[in-house]
C-alpha cells in the first residue's frame, strides 16, 4: 500500500469513527436558521393608471374571473399603493376631446386612495409638482406658477398647494402614510423651459440652496398637515449610482431638510452602473452613510417581448439580463432577487411601477393602449400571471411583518 493510499484510508476511518460518535450520542449537526427573525418590509405597486384603464375598457381577471384590480393587488400581497398627483393636468382630458374628467389630479387621486385603503393598503402620494410627467430630464413648471419671480412666493405656493392637498385628503380619512416630494429629482425640479426670472432650482447647475429652501417648504407643509400622525417624507432619485452625490449635497449644510426615506428608481435594464450582484452592498452602504431608511420606489422587468396593441413598448429591444429571460418565470425571479437584496441590505421596501398598465383604450401623450403591457403582472387576456408570485416566494423565505 502506497503512502497516498494509507493517508486516504486513514482519513476515511477517522470520518467513519466521527459519524459513529455522533450516532452513539444522538447528536446531529446544528443547522443555522438564517431567516428566523421578523423583517419589516413593504411590497408596493404604483397603481396610478388603474382608474383611467377601467374607464376605458380595461378588464382584470384572476383565473378567468373578472375582479376589481385593487382587490387583486391587495390579495397578491401589495401592502403599499403609490399614486402620482399632478397640479392641473388638463391634457389628460383634452386627449379624449373633452374637458373632464382629469386623471392623476386631486379628485382622481382621492378616488384611488379610497379604493386602495378599503383593501387594506397603505398609501404613498407622489407629488410631481408639475402638470405632466416629471423625471430626470423633464421637470416642467405648472402653468399656474410660471409667472412667479421670487423664491419667497414660490416657497409659499408649494407650501399652500401641498398643505391644502393633504388637509383635504385628511378630511376624507385618506391621509397618506408616505409623501414623496418631487419625482426623480436628479437635477432638482421646476426648471424645464423656466422663464428668465423664475427662481433657479436646477441642482445640476449648482442651485442647491434654492432647491433646499423650496423643498423645505413642502416638507413643512407635510408636517403641518399631518399633525401628530407618523407620515414619512421621501426624496426620490433615479439610478442608485446617483445617490451618493445627490444626498451628500442635499443633506449638507446650510438649510438641512427634514426627511425620513431615501427613495430611488432601479430599472436593471437601464441602470447598469450597479449590477444586480452589487445592489445589496450599494443599498446597505447608502443606508449606513446617511442614516436614513431606503426604499426602491420604481422597478420593472418584461415577461415577454410580444405586444398586445399598436403602442410600441418601452422595454423589449434590450438583451435580457443573464439568468433572467423575458418570461413570466424570469420576471418573477428577478423580482425575488431584488427583493431579497433590499431585505438583506435593511431596505424598507420595493415598489413595482405600473404592474396594472394593461392594453385598453386608454390614451396618454404618446399613444393609445399601453407601452408597458409586457411588463405587467397580467397576460394579454387580463389574467393575473405568476410574475406576481414573487411576493409569496419572498414571504415564504422571510418572516415579513404585515
Amino acid at each position: 500500500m502506497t503512502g497516498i493510499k494509507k493517508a486516504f484510508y486513514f482519513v476515511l476511518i477517522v470520518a467513519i469513527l466521527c459519524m459513529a460518535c455522533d450516532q452513539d450520542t444522538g447528536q446531529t449537526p446544528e443547522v443555522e436558521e438564517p431567516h428566523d427573525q421578523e423583517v419589516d418590509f413593504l411590497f408596493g405597486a404604483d397603481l396610478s393608471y388603474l382608474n383611467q384603464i377601467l374607464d376605458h375598457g380595461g378588464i382584470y381577471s384572476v383565473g378567468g374571473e373578472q375582479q376589481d384590480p385593487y382587490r387583486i393587488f391587495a390579495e397578491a400581497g401589495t401592502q403599499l399603493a403609490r399614486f402620482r398627483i399632478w397640479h392641473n393636468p388638463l391634457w389628460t382630458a383634452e386627449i379624449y376631446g373633452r374637458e373632464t374628467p382629469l386623471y392623476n389630479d386631486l379628485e382622481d387621486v382621492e378616488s384611488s386612495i379610497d379604493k386602495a385603503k378599503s383593501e387594506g393598503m397603505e398609501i404613498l402620494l407622489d407629488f410631481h409638482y408639475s402638470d405632466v410627467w416629471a423625471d430626470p430630464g423633464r421637470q416642467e413648471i405648472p402653468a399656474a406658477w410660471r409667472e412667479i419671480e421670487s423664491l419667497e412666493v414660490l416657497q409659499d405656493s408649494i407650501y399652500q398647494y401641498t398643505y391644502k392637498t393633504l388637509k383635504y385628503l385628511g378630511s376624507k380619512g385618506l391621509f397618506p402614510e408616505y409623501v414623496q416630494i418631487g419625482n426623480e429629482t436628479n437635477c432638482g425640479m421646476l426648471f424645464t423651459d423656466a422663464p428668465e426670472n423664475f427662481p433657479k432650482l436646477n441642482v445640476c447647475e449648482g442651485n442647491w440652496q434654492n432647491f433646499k429652501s423650496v423643498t423645505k417648504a413642502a416638507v413643512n407643509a407635510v408636517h403641518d398637515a399631518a399633525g401628530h400622525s407618523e407620515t414619512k417624507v421621501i426624496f426620490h432619485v433615479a439610478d442608485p449610482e446617483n445617490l451618493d452625490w445627490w444626498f451628500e449635497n442635499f443633506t449638507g449644510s446650510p438649510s438641512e431638510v427634514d426627511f425620513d426615506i431615501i427613495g430611488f428608481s432601479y430599472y436593471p435594464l437601464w441602470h447598469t452602473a450597479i449590477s444586480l450582484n452589487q445592489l445589496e452592498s450599494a443599498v446597505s452602504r447608502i443606508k449606513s452613510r446617511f442614516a436614513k431608511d431606503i426604499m426602491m420606489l420604481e422597478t420593472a422587468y418584461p415577461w415577454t417581448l410580444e405586444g398586445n396593441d399598436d403602442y410600441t413598448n418601452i422595454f423589449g429591444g434590450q438583451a435580457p439580463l443573464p439568468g433572467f429571460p423575458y418570461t413570466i418565470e424570469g420576471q418573477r425571479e428577478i423580482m425575488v432577487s431584488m427583493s431579497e437584496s433590499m431585505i438583506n441590505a435593511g431596505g424598507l421596501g420595493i415598489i413595482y411601477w405600473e404592474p396594472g398598465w394593461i392594453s385598453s383604450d386608454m390614451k396618454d401623450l404618446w399613444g393609445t393602449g399601453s407601452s408597458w403591457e409586457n411588463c405587467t403582472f397580467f397576460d394579454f387576456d387580463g389574467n393575473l400571471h405568476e410574475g406576481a408570485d414573487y411576493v409569496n416566494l419572498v414571504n415564504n423565505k422571510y418572516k415579513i411583518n404585515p
Side-chain angles (χ1 to χ4, degrees):
M1 184 180 292
T2 66
I4 295 176
K5 287 184 177 180
K6 288 181 180 179
F8 170 77
Y9 284 114
F10 176 77
V11 171
L12 179 62
I13 292 169
V14 170
I16 293 172
L17 289 174
C18 288
M19 286 190 293
C21 290
D22 284 345
Q23 291 172 354
D24 289 342
T25 59
Q27 296 176 353
T28 56
E30 292 185 2
V31 178
E32 183 182 359
E33 296 290 342
H35 305 300
D36 59 349
Q37 294 184 350
E38 292 186 343
V39 176
D40 291 315
F41 193 76
L42 292 167
F43 293 102
D46 192 308
L47 305 179
S48 300
Y49 267 146
L50 284 191
N51 290 349
Q52 190 174 177
I53 294 168
L54 289 170
D55 285 351
H56 295 90
I59 295 176
Y60 297 88
S61 303
V62 177
E65 179 182 350
Q66 184 175 344
Q67 294 187 21
D68 174 74
Y70 290 92
R71 176 158 297 178
I72 291 174
F73 278 102
E75 292 183 350
T78 303
Q79 303 153 292
L80 178 65
R82 180 179 185 243
F83 299 106
R84 59 182 166 270
I85 184 167
W86 289 321
H87 190 269
N88 192 20
L90 297 176
W91 66 270
T92 63
E94 292 170 351
I95 57 176
Y96 294 105
R98 62 186 187 223
E99 295 182 355
T100 58
L102 308 185
Y103 293 103
N104 301 128
D105 68 340
L106 179 56
E107 184 177 353
D108 182 51
V109 164
E110 176 188 355
S111 172
S112 297
I113 293 176
D114 185 37
K115 293 173 183 176
K117 278 188 173 287
S118 70
E119 297 296 340
M121 290 183 269
E122 293 188 332
I123 304 300
L124 191 166
L125 184 60
D126 174 10
F127 282 93
H128 280 229
Y129 295 110
S130 181
D131 294 333
V132 70
W133 299 99
D135 58 42
R138 180 181 186 175
Q139 297 281 338
E140 293 190 11
I141 302 165
W145 296 353
R146 286 189 63 83
E147 301 304 316
I148 293 175
E149 295 188 352
S150 79
L151 189 62
E152 291 74 16
V153 172
L154 182 58
Q155 288 173 306
D156 183 66
S157 297
I158 284 197
Y159 177 92
Q160 295 297 334
Y161 165 61
T162 306
Y163 179 83
K164 290 177 180 178
T165 297
L166 293 173
K167 286 296 286 186
Y168 173 79
L169 292 173
S171 73
K172 302 292 185 177
L174 302 174
F175 206 95
E177 286 78 12
Y178 302 86
V179 174
Q180 183 181 317
I181 305 300
N183 191 74
E184 293 188 329
T185 55
N186 294 37
C187 282
M189 60 189 189
L190 301 167
F191 60 76
T192 303
D193 296 328
E196 182 179 355
N197 294 325
F198 193 85
K200 304 296 186 289
L201 298 179
N202 189 329
V203 302
C204 292
E205 297 176 355
N207 299 300
W208 281 104
Q209 188 54 42
N210 284 356
F211 178 74
K212 289 181 185 181
S213 66
V214 167
T215 55
K216 187 173 184 177
V219 172
N220 288 342
V222 175
H223 291 159
D224 291 346
H228 297 293
S229 72
E230 297 183 359
T231 294
K232 304 295 185 182
V233 174
I234 305 174
F235 281 89
H236 178 203
V237 174
D239 194 342
E241 179 187 22
N242 297 314
L243 293 177
D244 277 296
W245 167 79
W246 203 92
F247 283 96
E248 179 180 355
N249 282 280
F250 186 63
T251 58
S253 61
S255 298
E256 279 196 25
V257 181
D258 184 20
F259 72 102
D260 304 287
I261 299 169
I262 291 172
F264 67 97
S265 299
Y266 182 57
Y267 295 97
L269 287 170
W270 286 338
H271 302 147
T272 57
I274 294 177
S275 69
L276 288 169
N277 291 334
Q278 297 168 321
L279 179 62
E280 180 180 329
S281 61
V283 170
S284 177
R285 187 182 56 76
I286 292 294
K287 175 181 168 65
S288 176
R289 178 182 179 188
F290 295 103
K292 297 287 185 181
D293 280 325
I294 187 167
M295 182 184 294
M296 188 185 296
L297 297 183
E298 295 184 21
T299 192
Y301 197 77
W303 59 271
T304 180
L305 290 180
E306 301 299 319
N308 195 33
D309 53 35
D310 295 330
Y311 193 168
T312 301
N313 287 335
I314 294 172
F315 282 128
Q318 308 90 342
L321 296 176
F324 302 103
Y326 291 152
T327 62
I328 291 174
E329 293 76 14
Q331 182 195 57
R332 184 182 64 219
E333 291 309 308
I334 200 169
M335 288 305 300
V336 168
S337 173
M338 289 191 289
S339 298
E340 291 187 349
S341 291
M342 290 297 294
I343 291 171
N344 294 335
L348 187 60
I350 187 169
I351 298 175
Y352 198 100
W353 192 81
E354 292 289 5
W357 188 9
I358 61 172
S359 295
S360 69
D361 294 326
M362 191 208 88
K363 295 182 179 182
D364 64 13
L365 288 169
W366 301 278
T368 299
S370 174
S371 61
W372 204 252
E373 75 268 29
N374 68 324
C375 291
T376 66
F377 291 153
F378 298 85
D379 65 23
F380 291 165
D381 293 320
N383 278 296
L384 186 73
H385 65 57
E386 293 179 352
D389 285 348
Y390 81 95
V391 175
N392 289 327
L393 292 175
V394 177
N395 274 330
N396 287 338
K397 184 172 181 179
Y398 299 83
K399 292 183 177 180
I400 307 294
N401 281 331

